[in-house]
């Protein structure tokens, strides 16, 4: 006898059928999550729904529980700012979510949320050096009261090396780019240009707690900045993953110099380009507005264009000039065009006009 699999998927947006189950928790899970559940056998005992033998008591337990019952129990006190990963997120986020929920029971016992909800956090992270690329231990302090994340180059330093305002802070996990499964990219604005820092911690819980502490600080900042906004309005603004990243070739404003290969990051409406993916500062940033404001994306390059090694061109038209890019493959070209079109088809928000005006006056 086997338990009947409900229609519900195991996670947010997961396309896989939940062919596995935790018979100790009473939930159905996909193959990917089953591997994480197997790593906490003291909490979660995993079986195949179709291939393993089930006794009557186990089937009955599954029938009287299920994913919705477990969610109501294990997420009863989950704070709105806590990041709930999707199947597309990195292994670390998915593993720590499962451990926080079922092993540590953080969303049943709110006192266990102290590391990321207290409004203050300090500790050491490995930070990549801007010039030499070496990771060195640095002290970080996040203070909601001061409205900033700071880090110090020396343990006894009185003055921080950098002060990152919570207002402009973003954090996104980038394990492949950073070359560490716990790698976190933190960005902030310095003189209205984007600055990147790359950090990690050996302990997966620690770095995910830092990530959620940053989201909590952003949440509380936005609650004050937008007093009428609902949680559902604010939560999407707490941190953002990049819309797309990858290599393209670009040429300069006169379009007479040769094309150079650069690493591009599309972050909301900022298209940034770097010589190297791990550079601290972008070589340049392009603001991408909306079609109502005369922005558009075209497949291909103007007929007179020369100097591009890659053949799959893209032209972005802004009110001031055209930007020319070339992609290595047709698939890359299609993905970038789709990304740009999504941004351009979205109407601009009032605060984005101020950002656009700043870009127009950049030297």
């Amino acid at each position: 006898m086997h338990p009947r699999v409900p229609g519900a998927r195991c996670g947010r947006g997961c396309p896989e059928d939940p062919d596995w189950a935790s018979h100790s928790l009473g939930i159905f899970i996909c193959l990917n999550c089953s591997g994480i559940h197997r790593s906490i056998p003291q909490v979660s005992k995993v079986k195949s729904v179709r291939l393993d033998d089930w006794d009557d008591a186990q089937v009955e337990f599954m029938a009287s529980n299920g994913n919705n019952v477990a969610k109501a129990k294990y997420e009863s006190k989950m704070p709105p700012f806590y990041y709930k990963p999707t199947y597309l997120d990195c292994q670390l986020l998915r593993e720590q979510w499962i451990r926080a929920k079922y092993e540590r029971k953080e969303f049943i016992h709110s006192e266990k949320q102290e590391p990321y909800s207290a409004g203050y956090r300090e500790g050491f992270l490995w930070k990549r050096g801007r010039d030499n690329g070496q990771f060195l231990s640095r002290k970080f302090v996040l203070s909601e009261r001061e409205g900033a994340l700071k880090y110090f180059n020396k343990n006894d330093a009185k003055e921080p090396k950098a002060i990152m305002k919570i207002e402009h802070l973003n954090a996104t996990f980038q394990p492949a780019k950073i070359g560490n499964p716990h790698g976190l990219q933190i960005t902030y604005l310095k003189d209205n240009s984007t600055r990147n820092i790359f950090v990690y911690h050996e302990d997966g819980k620690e770095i995910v707690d830092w990530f959620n502490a940053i989201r909590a600080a952003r949440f509380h900042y936005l609650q004050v900045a937008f007093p009428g906004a609902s949680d559902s309005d604010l939560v999407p603004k707490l941190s953002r993953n990049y819309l797309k990243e990858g290599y393209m070739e670009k040429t300069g404003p006169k379009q007479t110099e040769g094309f150079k290969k650069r690493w591009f990051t599309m972050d909301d409406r900022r298209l940034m380009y770097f010589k190297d993916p791990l550079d601290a500062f972008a070589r340049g940033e392009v603001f991408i507005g909306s079609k109502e404001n005369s922005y558009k994306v075209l497949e291909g390059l103007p007929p007179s264009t020369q100097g591009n090694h890659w053949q799959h061109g893209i032209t972005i038209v802004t009110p001031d000039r055209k930007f020319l890019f070339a992609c290595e493959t047709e698939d890359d070209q299609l993905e970038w065009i789709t990304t740009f079109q999504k941004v351009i088809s979205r109407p601009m928000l009032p605060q984005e006009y101020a950002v656009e005006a700043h870009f127009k006056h950049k030297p």
Side-chain angles (χ1 to χ4, degrees), residues 89-105:
D89 279 304
C90 64
Q91 177 76 7
L92 172 72
L93 272 173
R94 288 182 288 121
E95 179 184 343
Q96 287 302 318
W97 162 251
I98 288 169
R99 287 184 178 275
K101 183 173 168 179
Y102 298 116
E103 184 182 36
R104 300 191 291 268
K105 300 184 174 65

Side-chain angles (χ1 to χ4, degrees), residues 100-131:
K101 183 173 168 179
Y102 298 116
E103 184 182 36
R104 300 191 291 268
K105 300 184 174 65
E106 287 177 21
F107 314 129
I108 295 176
H109 308 291
S110 42
E111 67 276 8
K112 294 189 174 184
Q113 299 166 18
E114 184 79 10
Y116 44 81
S117 62
Y120 181 88
R121 183 178 172 87
E122 67 172 70
F124 288 87
L125 296 172
W126 292 98
K127 178 192 165 291
R128 188 179 189 274
R130 192 173 90 188
D131 301 318

Side-chain angles (χ1 to χ4, degrees), residues 111-179:
E111 67 276 8
K112 294 189 174 184
Q113 299 166 18
E114 184 79 10
Y116 44 81
S117 62
Y120 181 88
R121 183 178 172 87
E122 67 172 70
F124 288 87
L125 296 172
W126 292 98
K127 178 192 165 291
R128 188 179 189 274
R130 192 173 90 188
D131 301 318
N132 60 11
Q134 275 186 307
F135 281 88
L136 297 168
S137 180
R138 293 288 180 255
K139 182 183 175 183
F140 281 76
V141 176
L142 176 68
S143 168
E144 286 188 18
R145 190 174 54 78
E146 293 179 36
L149 172 67
K150 302 181 285 190
Y151 79 87
F152 299 81
N153 265 358
K154 295 191 170 63
N155 294 355
D156 56 355
K158 297 280 184 285
E159 293 302 313
K161 177 73 173 141
I163 299 174
M164 301 163 249
K165 287 185 177 169
I166 286 168
E167 178 185 358
H168 301 302
L169 206 54
N170 186 43
T172 174
F173 279 97
Q174 294 275 11
K177 188 160 80 171
I178 295 170

Side-chain angles (χ1 to χ4, degrees), residues 97-345:
W97 162 251
I98 288 169
R99 287 184 178 275
K101 183 173 168 179
Y102 298 116
E103 184 182 36
R104 300 191 291 268
K105 300 184 174 65
E106 287 177 21
F107 314 129
I108 295 176
H109 308 291
S110 42
E111 67 276 8
K112 294 189 174 184
Q113 299 166 18
E114 184 79 10
Y116 44 81
S117 62
Y120 181 88
R121 183 178 172 87
E122 67 172 70
F124 288 87
L125 296 172
W126 292 98
K127 178 192 165 291
R128 188 179 189 274
R130 192 173 90 188
D131 301 318
N132 60 11
Q134 275 186 307
F135 281 88
L136 297 168
S137 180
R138 293 288 180 255
K139 182 183 175 183
F140 281 76
V141 176
L142 176 68
S143 168
E144 286 188 18
R145 190 174 54 78
E146 293 179 36
L149 172 67
K150 302 181 285 190
Y151 79 87
F152 299 81
N153 265 358
K154 295 191 170 63
N155 294 355
D156 56 355
K158 297 280 184 285
E159 293 302 313
K161 177 73 173 141
I163 299 174
M164 301 163 249
K165 287 185 177 169
I166 286 168
E167 178 185 358
H168 301 302
L169 206 54
N170 186 43
T172 174
F173 279 97
Q174 294 275 11
K177 188 160 80 171
I178 295 170
N180 185 290
H182 300 171
L184 185 71
Q185 180 172 349
I186 297 172
T187 62
Y188 63 101
L189 290 182
K190 185 175 182 180
D191 305 325
N192 215 48
S193 290
T194 305
R195 165 88 160 94
N196 298 318
I197 62 170
F198 302 95
V199 297
Y200 72 87
H201 195 288
E202 299 95 329
D203 186 301
K205 178 186 184 301
E206 282 289 313
I207 197 69
V208 173
D209 283 351
W210 271 106
F211 175 64
N212 280 301
I214 289 170
R215 284 175 59 87
R218 294 260 313 142
F219 183 62
H220 298 137
Y221 163 79
L222 290 169
Q223 280 182 316
V224 174
F226 303 99
S230 67
D231 289 358
S232 58
D233 289 333
L234 299 181
V235 166
K237 297 181 171 68
L238 302 186
S239 64
R240 56 192 185 273
N241 294 327
Y242 301 131
L243 302 178
K244 182 163 171 58
E245 289 195 288
Y247 283 106
M248 289 192 288
E249 291 182 334
K250 68 166 286 291
T251 185
K254 295 191 178 68
Q255 295 162 11
T256 51
E257 59 262 56
F259 277 69
K260 293 190 173 84
K261 182 180 166 185
R262 294 287 180 258
W263 177 265
F264 284 82
T265 297
M266 188 77 227
D267 181 12
D268 200 23
R269 289 196 185 273
R270 286 176 185 254
L271 178 65
M272 301 174 279
Y273 54 91
F274 305 84
K275 198 167 182 185
D276 183 274
L278 296 173
D279 282 348
F281 291 98
R283 289 294 174 101
E285 303 190 33
V286 180
F287 180 86
I288 311 247
S290 66
K291 59 176 185 278
E292 290 87 357
N293 298 81
S294 306
Y295 289 83
K296 56 184 179 197
V297 58
L298 307 170
E299 186 183 325
L301 299 168
S304 58
T305 310
Q306 293 179 323
N308 50 308
H309 306 96
W310 291 348
Q311 298 308 306
H312 306 279
I314 299 173
T315 302
I316 290 184
V317 181
T318 77
D320 299 326
R321 58 168 279 203
K322 290 179 178 173
F323 292 88
L324 310 185
F325 307 109
C327 302
E328 187 173 18
T329 68
E330 201 173 329
D331 284 351
D332 278 351
Q333 178 196 37
L334 182 62
E335 283 178 24
W336 276 111
I337 287 174
T338 304
T339 302
F340 293 143
Q341 280 173 338
K342 276 183 190 161
V343 174
I344 287 169
S345 64

